[in-house]
Amino acid sequence: MSKTTISTNDNDIINLLENCTDLEVCSKEISTKLSNIHNDVVEDCINQIERLVELHSEINKCDKIFDSLENTLSSFLVQLGTIGYDMQSLQTESTSINQQLDNLHSVRNHLSKFIEQVSISPKIISTITESDCNEPIFTESLIQLQQQIHFIKSQEHLEAKSISEVKVVIENLKNTAILKIREWILIKINSMKKPLSNYQIIQNALLKNKYFYEFLLVNDKRIAKQIKEEYIDTVSKMFYSYFKTYTSRLFKIQAEAATKDDLLGYEDFKPRLISSVLSLGKGVPIKNKTSVFSLAGRHSLLTMDLISPIIVPHVAQQMNESVEFEKIFRSVQYSLVDHASYEYLFSADFFLISGENLIDHFSQVMGKSIGYFSQFFSVKIQSNNDAISLYICICLCKKLRQLLIEREINSFDGYWHSLEQIIWSRFEKVMMNHNESLRNYDFSKAHSNLKKQSNDCIKPHHVIRRYAEMVSALIYCSKLADSSTDARLYDILSRQQQEIELFISHYCSQLSSKEKLFFSINNYDMITSVLTEAHCSDARERDLFENLRQECVEVYVEDILKEYFEELVTFVKNTESLMSSDNIEELNKIRGTLKLIVSNFNNTWKQNIEKINKEILDNFSNFKNGTNILQFAFSHFIQYYQKLTKICNHKIFDSDKNGNNLLNIHQIMIELKKYKPIF
């Protein structure tokens, strides 16, 4: 039965059930229908029997095929399991083979490196045994040899036969290299002993091959020490000989030095020209006694000439030049600093030393020279009587020590300290001699030599000028060496300043009261002027002497006004005193004198002003100082006149109408302006 037929019957049954009204009838109909359907199905199966048989046969074939396929797949699964195991085995074997290969490569690399480090190149052997030490290839071979020596020492604990065999060859080659290096270095050191040899060129050659000493230091300390000792002995003697010869030749061309009589208070009573200003410019110092007290350009040694080339003795002799002590001192000490700096750096670089070892080595090299300088200059300094020269040398020591500090060389500070102490001691002695000469000055003999018809006795004294120039030179040099005045110099100058004040006081004792003021003001002004010209306007000495000058000026102005306007000054002072005490009785007594005083003043004031102007300009040698004093005197004169005007306007004197006779103050001011300097 076809599917369509079954479907139709089903639909019929469904329709029958839906339209059925009688269940029994419906049941019968359904049973009939179902029976028919069954019969149809059976009939249909019978009709399709052949096809069913064929289907059954095909199903059996499929079962067999599936059984065969199952067997095949099972066999394949078993084979796959065997392949996985084989792959795992192969992977393990591959890892093992790779490890063996890596080990083989590692062994080969180590072995090849070992063979390379152990074996000695024939080129190295021939270079070290046959080549000259100056050739660069010799140094390269030496470095390679040192590397092999280090390697052999590091492998000795292995007790390998190859190491033992090569060690003998290495030792022989090392000994050959040591002997060649020793001979080469000693030849270089001994060449320094030759006259006129330039040791710095030799040292440059040693520095170029400084690895030689390093090789010796590593492989044979005994020979390295021997070479170092030979170098110290040779170079120390070389420096000693050089500096001894150089200093002796320099002092043969020394300029005429100051003598023990070149002192502030020394007086030979012979006329001579004294310089008027302190020379701070460039130029050669004057070779006479005045140069002992003036700077004359010598301060350049502390500035631009500090590191200028040293003096060459034979060149100076050919040019017929003479050289001052401080220039010789600068040249010698700068030569020491220059050579010491170069030697210090060379020793540190070549001998591979630093710290205390370097300082000890340097002291051995330069010890003889420094000892010679200390002894030599101790003698020379004691014969120097020039205070300025000595102080310049002190400043040079400070400057050169600072130069060494800038070069990071501080290995012989003791020398500078000792040298400074020697110079300070001599400087203090010379300054004491100057002070002693001031105390022993023969004032009576000096006055007897002055011309009576002249006013020489009130002019600036040459001793004071010497002092002014010398103290300004010392202060200026101190500023160049340091920003402030040295404490020891300050004490020395303080003592000398007191001696100068006593000198002026003793000199004035034989003068009249007015001459004392003229002399004091002129000399104080000269001191302050010289200090100002020497760029020492901020010096303590200048302020002190300026105050003394001002005190004398005030006294002098008061005296000169009292001399030429005695009635005016006396009346004003007395009247002010009475007015302040309100003494009416005494004021009435002097009321009658006012008219006479005013009348006399009106008649003589112009002449007196002219006399004051003439006296001041004639007796004060410094025009600027004189005009300042004149203006100061006029200022005080105006003050007195204003006080007189005030007195005339007082109630006691106002009734006399004396004030009407007084000149207008503007009229006086116009007259005084005629004396005002135009500059």
Side-chain angles (χ1 to χ4, degrees), residues 181-434:
I181 291 171
R182 176 183 177 276
E183 182 182 3
W184 184 85
I185 294 177
L186 289 178
I187 289 173
K188 292 295 182 183
I189 293 174
N190 289 328
S191 64
M192 295 181 184
K193 299 178 182 179
K194 297 179 181 179
L196 303 178
S197 62
N198 190 330
Y199 80 96
Q200 291 185 352
I201 294 177
I202 300 171
Q203 286 183 332
N204 287 335
L206 289 171
L207 284 175
K208 187 178 179 181
N209 298 289
K210 64 180 181 179
Y211 184 75
F212 290 177
Y213 185 79
E214 183 180 350
F215 183 85
L216 293 177
L217 198 62
V218 173
N219 296 288
D220 197 327
K221 295 185 182 299
R222 181 183 60 83
I223 292 181
K225 182 180 179 182
Q226 177 189 357
I227 287 177
K228 185 178 178 182
E229 291 174 350
E230 180 66 22
Y231 176 84
I232 291 172
D233 182 66
T234 300
V235 175
S236 63
K237 289 179 179 178
M238 178 196 69
F239 278 134
Y240 176 80
S241 176
Y242 165 74
F243 286 124
K244 185 177 181 180
T245 304
Y246 182 64
T247 50
S248 62
R249 289 180 178 177
L250 275 182
F251 275 96
K252 288 180 180 179
I253 58 173
Q254 182 183 0
E256 182 181 355
T259 66
K260 62 180 181 179
D261 292 330
D262 290 320
L263 302 170
L264 287 175
Y266 176 77
E267 183 63 83
D268 56 8
F269 301 107
K270 294 179 181 179
R272 63 180 180 179
L273 180 64
I274 302 176
S275 58
S276 59
V277 293
L278 174 65
S279 172
L280 287 175
K282 299 179 181 178
V284 180
I286 303 172
K287 294 179 176 58
N288 55 28
K289 288 186 178 180
T290 57
S291 65
V292 177
F293 307 106
S294 63
L295 198 52
R298 291 185 283 177
H299 66 287
S300 63
L301 293 175
L302 302 175
T303 53
M304 57 186 178
D305 290 337
L306 177 65
I307 56 175
S308 60
I310 62 174
I311 301 169
V312 182
H314 69 272
V315 174
Q317 285 178 334
Q318 290 174 0
M319 299 179 68
N320 198 25
E321 292 181 355
S322 56
V323 186
E324 292 73 21
F325 178 88
E326 59 275 8
K327 287 188 177 181
I328 294 176
F329 183 86
R330 196 280 318 176
S331 185
V332 172
Q333 300 302 330
Y334 182 67
S335 176
L336 173 64
V337 167
D338 225 20
H339 286 292
S341 301
Y342 191 88
E343 181 60 33
Y344 189 89
L345 297 175
F346 169 81
S347 298
D349 200 9
F350 184 78
F351 291 106
L352 305 174
I353 50 179
S354 60
E356 292 297 326
N357 292 332
L358 177 57
I359 293 175
D360 181 63
H361 170 87
F362 182 79
S363 299
Q364 293 180 57
V365 173
M366 302 301 297
K368 287 185 179 180
S369 300
I370 291 174
Y372 168 75
F373 277 143
S374 297
Q375 183 179 4
F376 180 83
F377 278 103
S378 294
V379 176
K380 289 294 182 181
I381 288 168
Q382 296 306 319
S383 62
N384 190 340
N385 295 286
D386 188 345
I388 297 176
S389 173
L390 289 168
Y391 191 71
I392 288 175
C393 292
I394 292 173
C395 296
L396 283 171
C397 288
K398 294 180 181 179
K399 286 281 190 178
L400 293 174
R401 179 190 289 182
Q402 184 62 35
L403 182 61
L404 284 171
I405 292 174
E406 291 173 0
R407 295 178 179 181
E408 298 182 356
I409 300 171
N410 54 355
S411 55
F412 56 113
D413 284 344
Y415 166 72
W416 297 113
H417 178 73
S418 173
L419 187 59
E420 280 188 50
Q421 291 302 114
I422 293 171
I423 305 174
W424 268 114
S425 177
R426 180 58 185 170
F427 176 70
E428 290 176 349
K429 175 64 177 175
V430 172
M431 295 298 282
M432 287 174 60
N433 292 340
H434 282 300

